[in-house]
Amino acid sequence: MTSTYAKMELDTATADGALLHMLAGACLDSFSVSSISISLRFINPVLIPGESLYVDADFGCSATILEKGLAPATPGSGDFFVRRSEFLGRVFFCIGKTVESTQLQADGRLSIVMDAALIELCVSVEDDGQDDSVWDVSVQKADAGHLPVPQAIACVPDGSGVRFLVDWESRSSFL
């Protein structure tokens, strides 16, 4: 059996529904950082009953976290790395929290609501002109063909806005 991946563009509402399906009920497990990107790893026990799947949110765009009792960070204020350090100082306290909902805006802004926290990925003018996605959310599973959701959704700037691309795995067998 071979696998091929089909990329297609989704409208904002459809992409938001797929993101919600991928993330709802997932708990933030960990995060990792490189010089230009951050990866949030969630464990989702509800996509396939009886299995806990990893769902990763990788991004190089600006991000903020709003929490009850903490002053909101102002997106776009200060240096990119200053904003990143503020985000990293807060994301640690989100580990173990469960995703309640997502909200995707047509401009690429992705909000992930977790208990008393809101993680917001903010696409900006600085992100335009990149060849790759500014953020993507993907299910990590060796046999993703049996999932009821796309394998990955990405936000890609295109000069006049953003596009939401989805990866579906299609399977064909050879005798």
Side-chain angles (χ1 to χ4, degrees), residues 124-132 134 156-161:
S124 69
V125 177
E126 298 167 353
D127 298 316
D128 199 16
Q130 292 188 19
D131 295 332
D132 207 1
V134 292
V156 180
D158 69 1
S160 61

Side-chain angles (χ1 to χ4, degrees), residues 64-79:
T64 61
I65 296 179
L66 304 174
E67 292 185 82
K68 287 183 181 175
L70 291 178
T74 306
S77 67
D79 176 79

